[in-house]
Amino acid sequence: MSIKDLLREHGKPPKEVYFDLENSGYVPDEVVEAIIPYFNKIGYGHPAITHKLGWEAFEVIDETKKLLARTINASGPEEIVITHSGTEANNLAILGHAIAHREKGGKILVSAIEHLSVIFPAEKAEKLYGFKVQRIPVDEEGFIDPEMFSAYMDKDVSLISIQLVNHEIGTIQNIRELVKIAKEINPEVIFHTDAADAFGRMRIDVKDLGVDMLTISSHKIHGPRGVGALFIKQGTKIEPILYGQLSSEKFWPGVENIPLIAGFRKAIELAFRDFDNNVAKVKRLRDKLMNGIIESVPEVLVNGPIGDKRVVDNANISFLYVEGEAITVEFSLNGIYVSSGSACTSRILEPSHVLLAIGRRHEEAHGSILFKVCRYHSDEDIDYALENIPIAIKRLRKLSPLTPPHLKGD
Amino acid sequence: MSSRIPLPYNPKIIELFRNPKNMGPMKDATITAIAGSPACGDMISLYLKIEKRNNEDVVVNATFESYGCAANIAAASILTEMIKGKSVKEAWMISWRDIADELGGLPVIKYHCSILAVGALRRAIRDYYKKMKVHPDWLPRDLTVEEKQTFEEEKMMEHLRKMRESMVKYK
Ligand SMILES: Cc1ncc(COP(=O)(O)O)c(C=O)c1O
C-alpha cells in the first residue's frame, strides 16, 4: 500500500478550501517567513548562553511572553510558560498541579466535553496520585448549569479544569461565573481553563475571568504546530512534568524551539492586528456557511448553541443518513477539507464524546462534520463550499439505505 | 474529537468509493439482508437475485446500499462484483480476507468493513435457504467467524445505545 498511489488516485481538485482548522492550522507566509531566519541567520544559539546568537534567541522567548501577557492581561511575562504544545500546557496544568498537591489530594472537576488533553491527564492524576475525578455534565448546547456546578463544589475540590470555548461545538462557557461560584465555596481551589479555541477569537482577560491557569495553542491561531503556552498566575503551586537541563524556561527542559516560538510570536501579532474587524469577518463568513448549508441541505442538525454564545469560527453540522468519514472523503475529492466526530475516524468504535455528552444519538454523531472558518477564507471559498456540499451529501444519501425516499430523488 | 488513527486507503477503495458498482435497491430481488446498524455507523443492505441454472443456485444479480465509511462502501461494492455469476455455494466461500485482498488491502481498523460485507452476504444466503426450506450439505449449521463478528458488533452497539438512552432519560 502506498500513500503516493492514494494521492495520485485522489488528484488535485479544481479549488481547495481548508476548514479542518480544528486539527491542524493553516500557516500564512508571514508566519513562515518569521520562522525561517531562526534556523541559520539569527538567534540559532542557545537562549541561556552568553553570546550574541544566544541573546537573540532569548529575545524571541522574552518578546513572545511579553506579547502574550499583554493580550490576555496577565501581570507580566513571568506568568507565561512556553510549552511544546497546547496538549503539554494542559498536561502541565493538571499533572503539574497534581504532583504539587499529591500529599493533600482531593477532587479534580472537569466538564464532560473537555479536550482529551485535559480528560486523560485528569484520569492519570487519579491513577497515579489518588485524586478523584468528577465529570460535570453539560446541557444539550454544552453549557454547565451554575446551580448544578455549585453542587459539585466543596472544600475537597483541589483543581477545576473547564474550557472557555469547546473545540467541537463552539460553546462559550461562562467561566467568570463558574470561577466566582467555585472560589466563594472554596477560596483555595485552583481554576484552569483551556482557552485554545478561544484565544484570537474573543477578548480574554485572565484577571476578569479570575482563572489561575489558562492554555493557549499556537496552531489554533495560524502559528506553527508544536508550540503552546500556559498562563500560571503568580503564586500558583505547580511542579514540572518534564525533567532535564533547564534554561530560560523552568518547565521546558532541553533546548527551546526558537524558530517555532518566533512563528508563534508572529501569529499572535497578526491575530491581534485589526482584531475586531478580523473577528467580525470570520463571524460573517461562518454565518454565511452555516446558514447556507441549513438552507440548501435538508435534514441537518446544528451541534452546539446558536447566537452570541457560540464562538465566531465554529460550524458543526450533522448530516442525517450519512456517515461522517465517508463525507470527509467525498468532500476531499471535491477540494473541501473537514473532519468528523464519527466513530469511523477514531481508534475506539465510539463517536465524539462531546457529541454524546450533549445528548446526540450515535447515528447523529456519526454524521457530524466540523468546519472552522478563518480570516484567510474569502467569500469565494464559502460560495465554492456551498455549491459542492449539497451535491456531495446528495450522492452519499443516494447510496444509503437509511435515506428516506423523498431525499433520494433528483 | 476522539483519538485518531491514520487511514492510508488503497487507491482501489477511493476508486470504488467514487464509482461504486451495482448500487441501489433491486426491485425483483429474491432475497435481501441487512447487516450492521445505524448506531454502529456501519450498515450494508444486500440484494440478491438467485436463479437455478443447470440444477445449481446461481447469483444472477447483486446490488447494495451502504451507510458507512469509504471502506464500507468499497467493500460492499466489490463484494457484489465478486459474487455476480457465481454459484451460491461459491459465493458463500468468500471470506473477509478475500474482500480485503481484492481491495488491495485494508487498514487493520477497517477489517470490520469486509467482515460486515461477508456477514450480510451469508445472512442473505441462510435466509434464502430458510425461505426455500432446504439445507444444502455445504452450508454449515454453526455461524462462521464473519457471521459471529457481525452479530457481536450489532449486539454491542445495541447495548451501548440502550445504556446511553437510559442515561439521557436519567439526566
Ligand atoms: C481545546 C483544545 N485544547 C488543547 C488542544 C491541544 O493543542 P495542541 O494541538 O497544540 O497540542 C487543542 C487542539 O487540538 C484543543 O482544541
Side-chain angles (χ1 to χ4, degrees):
Chain A
M1 227 185 277
S2 155
I3 300 172
K4 276 208 183 76
D5 296 335
L6 166 64
L7 289 171
R8 198 172 309 121
E9 173 66 31
H10 186 291
K12 189 168 162 59
K15 183 174 163 69
E16 300 188 282
V17 190
Y18 184 79
F19 289 117
D20 191 16
L21 295 153
E22 158 58 14
N23 288 302
S24 179
Y26 162 81
V27 181
D29 288 345
E30 274 174 284
V31 172
V32 175
E33 282 154 19
I35 293 172
I36 292 171
Y38 283 93
F39 286 110
N40 54 16
K41 296 287 184 292
I42 49 171
Y44 51 89
H46 187 293
I49 309 289
T50 46
H51 51 55
K52 176 170 158 278
L53 287 164
W55 285 316
E56 282 172 354
F58 186 60
E59 190 210 7
V60 174
I61 295 176
D62 190 49
E63 288 294 320
T64 306
K65 290 197 196 190
K66 282 183 181 149
L67 178 60
L68 256 180
R70 274 202 303 281
T71 60
I72 59 172
N73 195 29
S75 294
E78 58 289 343
E79 288 193 322
I80 306 290
V81 173
I82 311 262
T83 63
H84 295 90
S85 62
T87 297
E88 186 186 309
N90 283 340
N91 272 264
L92 177 58
I94 291 161
L95 289 169
H97 172 93
I99 297 170
H101 296 83
R102 64 187 180 283
E103 310 274 292
K104 188 153 177 270
K107 285 191 257 187
I108 297 176
L109 304 186
V110 299
S111 85
I113 57 173
E114 290 304 308
H115 195 258
L116 293 181
S117 59
V118 163
I119 290 181
F120 289 167
E123 287 174 354
K124 206 73 193 168
E126 182 166 77
K127 274 210 194 82
L128 290 178
Y129 309 114
F131 286 79
K132 179 157 174 35
V133 178
Q134 291 187 323
R135 291 197 199 197
I136 305 170
V138 295
D139 68 14
E140 48 305 335
E141 293 184 333
F143 295 106
I144 291 176
D145 174 48
E147 233 169 86
M148 188 182 49
F149 174 72
S150 59
Y152 277 85
M153 266 312 298
D154 58 34
K155 294 271 189 229
D156 206 29
V157 177
S158 177
L159 175 69
I160 302 166
S161 181
I162 299 174
Q163 59 196 171
L164 185 48
V165 166
N166 180 266
H167 49 296
E168 284 186 43
I169 56 172
T171 311
I172 303 176
Q173 206 67 250
N174 191 344
I175 294 297
R176 193 161 167 266
E177 186 182 8
L178 298 181
V179 171
K180 201 161 155 270
I181 293 170
K183 302 232 169 189
E184 253 162 37
I185 298 172
N186 177 1
E188 307 272 281
V189 76
I190 297 296
F191 204 116
H192 165 250
T193 189
D194 178 354
D197 289 274
F199 188 61
R201 294 149 179 84
M202 53 191 271
R203 297 276 175 199
I204 295 176
D205 180 330
V206 289
K207 294 202 174 79
D208 179 58
L209 290 174
V211 293
D212 304 289
M213 295 191 274
L214 180 139
T215 291
I216 290 167
S217 168
S218 156
H219 73 84
K220 293 289 172 124
I221 56 157
H222 306 286
R225 290 163 284 278
V227 198
L230 183 65
F231 155 78
I232 307 176
K233 194 167 92 186
Q234 292 237 312
T236 307
K237 242 175 75 188
I238 180 165
E239 289 275 328
I241 55 170
L242 295 175
Y243 298 88
Q245 186 176 46
L246 296 178
S247 70
S248 72
E249 289 301 272
K250 91 180 145 143
F251 295 104
W252 183 333
V255 191
E256 291 87 341
N257 195 335
I258 300 299
L260 293 197
I261 299 172
F264 185 22
R265 174 177 64 178
K266 178 55 90 179
I268 301 166
E269 269 172 37
L270 296 178
F272 285 86
R273 184 190 293 167
D274 212 7
F275 185 86
D276 295 332
N277 279 332
N278 280 330
V279 170
K281 176 187 174 185
V282 170
K283 182 172 186 311
R284 183 180 66 78
L285 291 178
R286 189 279 311 273
D287 288 344
K288 178 173 169 175
L289 177 70
M290 201 153 86
N291 295 334
I293 293 173
I294 295 169
E295 277 161 26
S296 61
V297 184
E299 309 210 20
V300 298
L301 299 171
V302 173
N303 299 310
I306 292 177
D308 287 348
K309 287 182 174 173
R310 182 183 200 106
V311 74
V312 290
D313 61 340
N314 175 299
N316 188 324
I317 291 179
S318 285
F319 297 92
L320 301 184
Y321 318 120
V322 283
E323 193 280 322
E325 193 236 80
I327 301 174
T328 64
V329 177
E330 178 71 2
F331 281 10
S332 175
L333 292 169
N334 290 291
I336 299 165
Y337 306 123
V338 295
S339 65
S340 167
S342 148
C344 262
T345 61
S346 81
R347 275 171 197 275
I348 43 173
L349 265 177
E350 274 275 277
S352 145
H353 69 280
V354 174
L355 295 176
L356 294 183
I358 61 167
R360 286 290 182 233
R361 294 141 58 96
H362 275 87
E363 49 272 43
E364 293 165 348
H366 289 315
S368 71
I369 293 294
L370 176 54
F371 302 84
K372 287 203 176 172
V373 177
C374 71
R375 64 180 185 274
Y376 297 103
H377 285 131
S378 63
D379 275 283
E380 292 74 50
D381 291 335
I382 307 296
D383 291 337
Y384 178 79
L386 288 175
E387 257 165 54
N388 284 278
I389 288 169
I391 301 169
I393 296 298
K394 195 161 205 169
R395 185 179 90 88
L396 293 178
R397 281 183 172 170
K398 237 181 167 147
L399 276 168
S400 168
L402 300 179
T403 310
H406 72 276
L407 294 180
K408 281 207 175 183
D410 290 301
Chain B
M1 308 264 152
S2 40
S3 288
R4 294 178 178 288
I5 191 159
L7 292 171
Y9 280 144
N10 190 285
K12 183 84 191 166
I13 292 174
I14 300 295
E15 188 194 313
L16 283 171
F17 173 73
R18 230 187 214 142
N19 295 304
K21 305 288 188 316
N22 309 315
M23 183 199 107
M26 193 196 300
K27 288 213 174 61
D28 58 344
T30 322
I31 197 86
T32 70
I34 297 173
S37 77
C40 308
D42 239 345
M43 186 169 145
I44 292 174
S45 298
L46 194 62
Y47 303 82
L48 303 183
K49 187 164 178 57
I50 297 172
E51 280 175 7
K52 272 247 185 297
R53 296 269 160 92
N54 303 325
N55 236 346
E56 206 178 28
D57 292 323
V58 173
V59 181
V60 294
N61 197 9
T63 66
F64 80 98
E65 291 178 293
S66 157
Y67 164 77
C69 59
N72 183 295
I73 291 168
S77 170
I78 210 154
L79 174 72
T80 58
E81 287 188 272
M82 288 164 78
I83 59 177
K84 251 195 192 179
K86 281 210 169 73
S87 72
V88 174
K89 183 182 168 187
E90 283 169 326
W92 175 273
M93 299 299 167
I94 291 169
S95 73
W96 71 271
R97 265 275 173 218
D98 297 332
I99 293 183
D101 289 347
E102 199 69 20
L103 288 171
L106 269 178
V108 177
I109 71 154
K110 294 293 177 183
Y111 283 174
H112 71 102
C113 294
S114 66
I115 291 171
L116 195 70
V118 173
L121 172 64
R122 294 194 183 163
R123 187 170 281 168
I125 293 175
R126 276 197 199 277
D127 287 354
Y128 172 72
Y129 286 114
K130 216 177 272 163
K131 205 170 96 181
M132 303 303 286
K133 298 197 167 57
V134 291
H135 193 101
D137 50 5
W138 51 264
L139 188 66
R141 300 262 165 203
D142 294 336
L143 292 186
T144 56
V145 178
E146 286 92 337
E147 294 172 278
K148 272 192 204 141
Q149 289 256 356
T150 301
F151 256 131
E152 286 301 313
E153 189 175 317
E154 289 165 352
K155 240 176 35 201
M156 187 185 79
M157 286 316 303
E158 189 52 27
H159 175 71
L160 281 175
R161 195 179 58 78
K162 282 213 180 108
M163 229 169 64
R164 262 212 65 67
E165 275 169 13
S166 66
M167 265 163 59
V168 170
K169 260 186 238 134
Y170 185 69
K171 209 168 90 183

mmCIF file of all heavy atoms in Angstrom, chain B residues 54-69:
data_model
loop_
_atom_site.group_PDB
_atom_site.id
_atom_site.type_symbol
_atom_site.label_atom_id
_atom_site.label_comp_id
_atom_site.label_asym_id
_atom_site.label_seq_id
_atom_site.Cartn_x
_atom_site.Cartn_y
_atom_site.Cartn_z
ATOM 1 N N ASN B 54 -28.749 -25.029 -14.524
ATOM 2 C CA ASN B 54 -28.183 -26.379 -14.551
ATOM 3 C C ASN B 54 -28.225 -27.022 -13.169
ATOM 4 O O ASN B 54 -27.212 -27.526 -12.680
ATOM 5 C CB ASN B 54 -26.724 -26.384 -15.027
ATOM 6 C CG ASN B 54 -26.588 -25.764 -16.389
ATOM 7 O OD1 ASN B 54 -27.491 -25.921 -17.220
ATOM 8 N ND2 ASN B 54 -25.505 -25.053 -16.613
ATOM 9 N N ASN B 55 -29.381 -26.908 -12.529
ATOM 10 C CA ASN B 55 -29.554 -27.554 -11.241
ATOM 11 C C ASN B 55 -28.727 -26.941 -10.114
ATOM 12 O O ASN B 55 -28.507 -27.547 -9.082
ATOM 13 C CB ASN B 55 -29.214 -29.042 -11.339
ATOM 14 C CG ASN B 55 -30.412 -29.848 -10.869
ATOM 15 O OD1 ASN B 55 -31.333 -29.278 -10.258
ATOM 16 N ND2 ASN B 55 -30.408 -31.128 -11.148
ATOM 17 N N GLU B 56 -28.212 -25.722 -10.350
ATOM 18 C CA GLU B 56 -27.388 -25.089 -9.325
ATOM 19 C C GLU B 56 -27.966 -23.704 -9.047
ATOM 20 O O GLU B 56 -28.415 -23.023 -9.972
ATOM 21 C CB GLU B 56 -25.955 -24.961 -9.855
ATOM 22 C CG GLU B 56 -24.932 -24.917 -8.756
ATOM 23 C CD GLU B 56 -23.520 -24.836 -9.318
ATOM 24 O OE1 GLU B 56 -23.338 -24.297 -10.435
ATOM 25 O OE2 GLU B 56 -22.604 -25.299 -8.633
ATOM 26 N N ASP B 57 -27.928 -23.304 -7.767
ATOM 27 C CA ASP B 57 -28.373 -21.946 -7.427
ATOM 28 C C ASP B 57 -27.267 -20.961 -7.772
ATOM 29 O O ASP B 57 -26.140 -21.104 -7.304
ATOM 30 C CB ASP B 57 -28.676 -21.847 -5.931
ATOM 31 C CG ASP B 57 -29.889 -22.676 -5.549
ATOM 32 O OD1 ASP B 57 -30.839 -22.722 -6.367
ATOM 33 O OD2 ASP B 57 -29.890 -23.279 -4.461
ATOM 34 N N VAL B 58 -27.643 -19.970 -8.591
ATOM 35 C CA VAL B 58 -26.628 -19.010 -9.053
ATOM 36 C C VAL B 58 -27.073 -17.582 -8.705
ATOM 37 O O VAL B 58 -28.253 -17.242 -8.825
ATOM 38 C CB VAL B 58 -26.417 -19.144 -10.579
ATOM 39 C CG1 VAL B 58 -25.489 -18.051 -11.105
ATOM 40 C CG2 VAL B 58 -25.857 -20.519 -10.913
ATOM 41 N N VAL B 59 -26.105 -16.779 -8.269
ATOM 42 C CA VAL B 59 -26.386 -15.357 -8.021
ATOM 43 C C VAL B 59 -26.356 -14.665 -9.387
ATOM 44 O O VAL B 59 -25.284 -14.419 -9.923
ATOM 45 C CB VAL B 59 -25.325 -14.726 -7.098
ATOM 46 C CG1 VAL B 59 -25.647 -13.262 -6.834
ATOM 47 C CG2 VAL B 59 -25.204 -15.504 -5.790
ATOM 48 N N VAL B 60 -27.512 -14.373 -9.932
ATOM 49 C CA VAL B 60 -27.514 -13.767 -11.267
ATOM 50 C C VAL B 60 -27.412 -12.246 -11.192
ATOM 51 O O VAL B 60 -27.007 -11.591 -12.147
ATOM 52 C CB VAL B 60 -28.750 -14.176 -12.100
ATOM 53 C CG1 VAL B 60 -28.709 -15.668 -12.398
ATOM 54 C CG2 VAL B 60 -30.039 -13.783 -11.408
ATOM 55 N N ASN B 61 -27.780 -11.688 -10.049
ATOM 56 C CA ASN B 61 -27.606 -10.238 -9.894
ATOM 57 C C ASN B 61 -27.412 -9.910 -8.404
ATOM 58 O O ASN B 61 -27.926 -10.616 -7.541
ATOM 59 C CB ASN B 61 -28.812 -9.481 -10.454
ATOM 60 C CG ASN B 61 -28.501 -8.012 -10.680
ATOM 61 O OD1 ASN B 61 -27.343 -7.578 -10.574
ATOM 62 N ND2 ASN B 61 -29.533 -7.229 -10.983
ATOM 63 N N ALA B 62 -26.644 -8.870 -8.146
ATOM 64 C CA ALA B 62 -26.406 -8.449 -6.761
ATOM 65 C C ALA B 62 -26.246 -6.938 -6.734
ATOM 66 O O ALA B 62 -25.535 -6.362 -7.564
ATOM 67 C CB ALA B 62 -25.140 -9.113 -6.215
ATOM 68 N N THR B 63 -26.944 -6.305 -5.808
ATOM 69 C CA THR B 63 -26.748 -4.863 -5.617
ATOM 70 C C THR B 63 -26.658 -4.565 -4.122
ATOM 71 O O THR B 63 -26.931 -5.421 -3.298
ATOM 72 C CB THR B 63 -27.906 -4.028 -6.229
ATOM 73 O OG1 THR B 63 -29.095 -4.301 -5.507
ATOM 74 C CG2 THR B 63 -28.105 -4.337 -7.704
ATOM 75 N N PHE B 64 -26.277 -3.323 -3.804
ATOM 76 C CA PHE B 64 -26.107 -2.986 -2.387
ATOM 77 C C PHE B 64 -26.497 -1.543 -2.125
ATOM 78 O O PHE B 64 -26.546 -0.703 -3.038
ATOM 79 C CB PHE B 64 -24.653 -3.198 -1.958
ATOM 80 C CG PHE B 64 -23.753 -2.060 -2.366
ATOM 81 C CD1 PHE B 64 -23.430 -1.051 -1.464
ATOM 82 C CD2 PHE B 64 -23.260 -1.966 -3.662
ATOM 83 C CE1 PHE B 64 -22.623 0.025 -1.836
ATOM 84 C CE2 PHE B 64 -22.442 -0.900 -4.045
ATOM 85 C CZ PHE B 64 -22.132 0.090 -3.127
ATOM 86 N N GLU B 65 -26.748 -1.266 -0.854
ATOM 87 C CA GLU B 65 -26.763 0.107 -0.350
ATOM 88 C C GLU B 65 -25.876 0.115 0.881
ATOM 89 O O GLU B 65 -25.776 -0.893 1.576
ATOM 90 C CB GLU B 65 -28.170 0.530 0.057
ATOM 91 C CG GLU B 65 -29.119 0.696 -1.100
ATOM 92 C CD GLU B 65 -30.499 1.062 -0.588
ATOM 93 O OE1 GLU B 65 -31.136 0.211 0.066
ATOM 94 O OE2 GLU B 65 -30.926 2.197 -0.814
ATOM 95 N N SER B 66 -25.242 1.250 1.152
ATOM 96 C CA SER B 66 -24.337 1.278 2.292
ATOM 97 C C SER B 66 -24.435 2.593 3.036
ATOM 98 O O SER B 66 -24.474 3.666 2.450
ATOM 99 C CB SER B 66 -22.900 1.074 1.811
ATOM 100 O OG SER B 66 -22.002 1.613 2.753
ATOM 101 N N TYR B 67 -24.540 2.464 4.345
ATOM 102 C CA TYR B 67 -24.389 3.607 5.237
ATOM 103 C C TYR B 67 -23.102 3.325 5.992
ATOM 104 O O TYR B 67 -23.043 2.401 6.796
ATOM 105 C CB TYR B 67 -25.586 3.672 6.187
ATOM 106 C CG TYR B 67 -25.378 4.558 7.384
ATOM 107 C CD1 TYR B 67 -25.451 5.944 7.261
ATOM 108 C CD2 TYR B 67 -25.111 4.032 8.634
ATOM 109 C CE1 TYR B 67 -25.267 6.761 8.362
ATOM 110 C CE2 TYR B 67 -24.921 4.837 9.742
ATOM 111 C CZ TYR B 67 -24.994 6.209 9.595
ATOM 112 O OH TYR B 67 -24.806 7.014 10.684
ATOM 113 N N GLY B 68 -22.061 4.063 5.683
ATOM 114 C CA GLY B 68 -20.799 3.773 6.349
ATOM 115 C C GLY B 68 -19.671 4.536 5.703
ATOM 116 O O GLY B 68 -19.882 5.392 4.846
ATOM 117 N N CYS B 69 -18.466 4.207 6.133
ATOM 118 C CA CYS B 69 -17.286 4.930 5.684
ATOM 119 C C CYS B 69 -16.917 4.522 4.260
ATOM 120 O O CYS B 69 -17.534 3.643 3.665
ATOM 121 C CB CYS B 69 -16.128 4.661 6.631
ATOM 122 S SG CYS B 69 -15.720 2.916 6.728
#
